[in-house]
Amino acid sequence: MSNFMAQWVYSPVVKDHFMNPRNTWSEEEHFEADGVGEVGSLACGDQMQVLIKVENDRVADLRWLTYGCASAIASTSMMSELAIGMTLEEAYFLSPERITEALGGLPEHKFHCSVLGDKALRAAIDDYLKKNGKPNPWQSQVAKVICECKQVTDIQVEELVKSKEATTLEELEKLTGYGTVCGKCKPQMALLFDQLQHLYHV
Amino acid sequence: MEQTIIYLDNNATTPLHEDVIAAMNRANELYGNASSMHAMGREAMEAIEESRQAVRDLIDAPEGSIVFTSGASEANNTVFNLFRERIDLGSKRNRIVTTTIEHPSIIEMVAHLRELGYTIDLCPVDHTGRVVMEEMEKLMGDDVALVSVMLGNNEIGTIQPVKEIALLAHHHGAYVHTDATQAIGKIPVSMEELGVDYLSLSAHKFYGPKGIGVLAIRKGVPFAPFFHGGHQEGGKRAGTYNNTAIVGMGVAARIAREELEEESARLWKLREMLREGIEASIPNVVVNGSRDYCLPGTLDVSFPRAEGESILLYLDLEGIMVSTGSACASGSLEPSYVLLASGVDIELAHGSIRFSFGRYNTEDEVHYVLEKLPPIIKRLREMSIR
C-alpha cells in the first residue's frame, strides 16, 4: 500500500491545479469585468464562466467559475494562468492543445469534453469587443461549437452537409452524435442544417 | 505516515474475509483436477461439493440447482443466451422482458440482441427505481419466453418485487430469472420463496474471491450451456474447476448466511447515520432510490451544483473511496442510466455519489466522512456557476 497515492488518475500538474485552482472568482470578490463568456451546460456535466479585465488590448486579469470534473477545473485553471498577460489576439487563439500540453496531458476522452476554458475565454473576448463597439476580426476564423456535449462545430457540420454525407438531420446525428446527451443544441443545429442545405443543395 | 483508507465502495467489490483467505490458502494445496477419479481429484471434488452445499443453503435453492460460473456476468449471459437459442430454434415464445436498470451484463446483452433483431422489452421503473407493476403486467403475454429482473440494484440499492413479478410471469407461462448479486449477504435471499427459475450471484460481493459465481437453475426448466467442452457441472458449464475460488466462495457463503441478520442491521445503521449526517450538514441534497425498499448498505446522493467526478476525486485525496454516476467518470459522455431511467434529472445524475458500506466499515469512518465531505461540496459549489 506504500505506493497507494503514487499513481493518480491524472498528471501531477492536473492534480495540483485541481487541488489548488488559480484565479477562481470567490463570492466575496468584487470583480469589475470588461467581458464575460459562458459555455457548456449543467446537463452535459460541464459549464464554465470566464470574466476578463482588458487593458491596452491585453488580458489584464481573469476570473473563472466551473461546474465540472477534475480535468475541467484543472484545465480552466491552467487556461487562466496562460491567458493573463496575453494580447487579446493571442488569447483568442489559445488552443485546447496548448492548455492540455501545459497540464502534462489528459486522457483522450477528457480532452474533448473538459477543455472548454479556451472557448469561454473566446466568448468573453467576443463580449468585450461587442460591448465596446470594437471590430472582431477573429470571430470568423474560429470554429463555433454547436453541440457542446459532443463538441460538434459549425465547420464540421458544414463539411458533412457540403459533401452530402449528411443529407438529413438523422444522418447528421448518426455521424456526429449531436443532441444525444442534453439535447439543448437541437433547435440551433436544425436551423444551421437548413441554412447549409439551402446554401449548398437548393 | 499511515494513509487513511475508508473503503465505501463495497457494491463495486468487497475485500476477502480473513476466514476466506485462510481457507483459500489451504485450498491452494488441492491441486487435483476435481474431475479426476484418483484420490487427489476426489479430495478436490469433496471440497467443491461442500462449497456447493454452502451456497445452496445461503440462497435456499433446490437440490441440484447450483452451477459454478466465473461470476454473475457469465451467469446472466448464460440465461439470455439459452433463451436466444430457443428463439432461434423456433419457439413461439420469442420475446424477453427485463428492466431499464439492470446490470450492464444484461443491459449490454439486450442492446446486442436487439441489434441482431430479437424482441426485448424493458419495463420502466418509478422515481425510486422500482418496477412499475402495471407496466410489467402490460408487457406480459403468451409470447414471453423469459422475464429477468434484478433483486437489488447496484447503484441506488432499490429492491424489486421479484416474488410478485415471478408469480405474474409464471401465470403467463414465462420463465423467470433474477440477478441477486447485490442482495446476497445484505437481505434474505431464498430462491424457493422468490419462486424464480434462475438466479445469478457473484462471490466477490460478499467477501469471497473475484472470478467465481453461481447460476442456480431450477430442475426441469430449459437449459443450454454457454461454455461447451468438458462434462463438468453435469454438462452445464465446461471448464476445469477453480478449486481455490470455489472453496473461498463456500466459506464466504457460510459466513454470509450465519451473520446475515446482524450484518444487515449494522449496514442499515451506518447508512442511515451517513444519510442523516449529510442531510444535516449539507444544504440542498437529494437522496436517490427508495426509502422503503433499499439494500441496507447503499446510499446514493446527488449534490446539485457539484460534479460527481470532482467530489469522488476530492474524497479520494482524503482517502475515502466511493463511486459516482457522473458521465465524467464513466468513460462515456452519458451519466448513470440507472438514475436517468428512474427519472432523476440529468444534472442530478452528474452530481451523484454512491456510498456503499460493508462489514469492515465503522461508525468512526462515518464521522470522518461527515467531517471531510461538507467542505468539499461547499468548495465545489463556490467554484461552480452561480
Side-chain angles (χ1 to χ4, degrees), chain B residues 8-229:
Chain B
L8 290 177
D9 201 12
N10 288 276
N11 284 13
T13 194
T14 58
L16 292 170
H17 188 286
E18 51 272 20
D19 292 356
V20 172
I21 296 176
M24 285 172 73
N25 282 334
R26 287 194 300 275
N28 277 328
E29 308 288 325
L30 290 173
Y31 64 83
N33 187 324
S35 303
S36 299
M37 278 179 82
H38 51 61
M40 288 296 294
R42 294 197 308 272
E43 193 189 7
M45 189 48 101
E46 205 175 291
I48 285 170
E49 289 311 316
E50 202 180 306
S51 285
R52 195 187 305 279
Q53 187 58 45
V55 176
R56 198 189 140 200
D57 291 343
L58 172 67
I59 58 169
D60 186 21
E63 200 187 340
S65 62
I66 305 293
V67 172
F68 295 119
T69 67
S70 63
S73 289
E74 183 195 323
N76 291 342
N77 271 262
T78 302
V79 172
F80 274 68
N81 191 63
L82 82 93
F83 279 93
R84 170 205 177 164
E85 261 187 43
R86 286 172 69 81
I87 294 167
D88 288 347
L89 291 170
S91 169
K92 63 179 176 32
R93 288 189 177 270
N94 54 13
R95 189 156 61 88
I96 294 174
V97 175
T98 179
T99 80
T100 50
I101 62 158
E102 298 298 311
H103 184 265
S105 60
I106 286 181
I107 292 286
E108 293 301 322
M109 183 64 155
V110 165
H112 175 63
L113 292 178
R114 277 179 163 177
E115 244 170 60
L116 294 173
Y118 295 87
T119 309
I120 301 179
D121 289 320
L122 299 182
C123 182
V125 295
D126 65 18
H127 70 283
T128 71
R130 224 164 119 89
V131 160
V132 182
M133 281 308 281
E134 298 80 61
E135 297 295 329
M136 188 56 96
E137 277 171 37
K138 281 187 217 157
L139 290 171
M140 291 298 107
D142 59 10
D143 61 336
V144 177
L146 172 73
V147 177
S148 176
V149 178
M150 76 194 328
L151 186 52
N153 182 266
N154 46 306
E155 190 169 336
I156 52 178
T158 303
I159 299 168
Q160 302 298 344
V162 170
K163 187 181 175 181
E164 288 73 19
I165 291 166
L167 273 172
L168 175 72
H170 282 155
H171 177 74
H172 289 274
Y175 293 100
V176 181
H177 166 247
T178 191
D179 176 357
T181 305
Q182 287 291 345
I184 303 290
K186 296 169 191 154
I187 58 169
V189 177
S190 159
M191 197 168 165
E192 295 291 16
E193 171 78 14
L194 292 170
V196 297
D197 304 301
Y198 310 85
L199 182 148
S200 311
L201 65 84
S202 188
H204 76 99
K205 305 289 188 186
F206 56 95
Y207 315 98
K210 293 161 181 52
I212 191 78
V214 157
L215 175 61
I217 308 156
R218 190 177 291 281
K219 213 175 260 176
V221 303
F223 192 75
F226 192 43
F227 285 9
H228 296 267

Side-chain angles (χ1 to χ4, degrees), chain A residues 8-10 15 18-19 21 25-26 42-45 48-49 65-70 73 110 113 149, chain B residues 3 5 305-307 309-310 313-314 316-317 321 328 331 333-334 346-347 350 379-380 382-386:
Chain A
W8 209 56
V9 57
Y10 298 116
K15 186 176 175 180
F18 174 58
M19 290 173 76
W25 186 30
S26 84
L42 290 176
C44 353
M48 60 192 66
Q49 196 177 47
L65 293 173
T66 275
Y67 165 87
C69 59
I73 290 171
K110 286 290 182 180
C113 64
C149 300
Chain B
Q3 166 75 39
I5 294 172
R305 297 183 60 241
E307 194 279 328
E309 189 206 83
S310 288
L313 289 175
Y314 275 134
D316 180 53
L317 292 167
M321 267 134 266
C328 300
L333 286 166
E334 270 106 89
I346 191 164
E347 294 170 31
H350 279 298
R379 185 161 183 223
L380 282 168
E382 276 171 3
M383 222 189 289
S384 190
I385 306 289
R386 311 198 251 272

